[in-house]
Amino acid sequence: MATRTKKNRPPTRRKEVWMRVKDGGQIRRWRKQKHFSQRELAYLVRRTQSTIYLIETGKLTSITEDLGVAIAARLDVPWEDLFDAHEIEVVPRVAHASRSSSHPISA
């Protein structure tokens, strides 16, 4: 029987959609208009209060699509008013093993 060699394939590329925060202050104003604290909004979108703080202060400028849509939905605002969507191409890293796990490391 002939042995089959595994061909090295290039990593699969995929695209992800991220949201760029237009104005963190606007998100803060909408949140206050809905009478949500940062903690309450964070709970509703399943994130931490510090994440909401970072978005509102402009320290976190790109967020995942699901978070952007969730924030907009909870604030009852079209997501396009709060965020710009942009695609990025993601290439997964390939892990290279420098040592085989079956060989113990000598001390």
Side-chain angles (χ1 to χ4, degrees):
M1 250 196 230
T3 58
R4 295 173 69 180
T5 59
K6 185 177 179 181
K7 292 184 180 180
N8 289 336
R9 296 183 188 165
T12 306
R13 295 175 184 250
R14 61 186 166 87
K15 293 191 178 192
E16 289 183 1
V17 177
W18 284 73
M19 301 282 195
R20 189 171 293 120
V21 179
K22 287 184 179 179
D23 179 14
Q26 183 65 32
I27 294 172
R28 178 182 172 94
R29 289 186 288 278
W30 277 107
R31 175 181 58 78
K32 288 185 169 241
Q33 185 176 347
K34 296 291 182 181
H35 304 287
F36 291 139
S37 67
Q38 287 180 345
R39 180 180 286 179
E40 290 167 334
L41 180 58
Y43 176 79
L44 293 171
V45 298
R46 298 179 180 218
R47 296 302 194 279
T48 63
Q49 177 271 328
S50 61
T51 299
I52 303 302
Y53 168 79
L54 292 171
I55 292 168
E56 291 182 354
T57 57
K59 295 176 182 173
L60 185 59
T61 58
S62 282
I63 60 174
T64 60
E65 179 183 25
D66 64 323
L67 177 55
V69 170
I71 289 171
R74 292 301 184 168
L75 298 178
D76 199 25
V77 179
W79 68 262
E80 296 92 341
D81 291 352
L82 303 175
F83 308 102
D84 289 320
H86 64 281
E87 283 188 350
I88 61 169
E89 195 168 302
V90 178
V91 179
R93 289 186 177 183
V94 178
H96 294 284
S98 60
R99 292 186 176 156
S100 172
S101 61
S102 63
H103 296 294
I105 299 173
S106 55

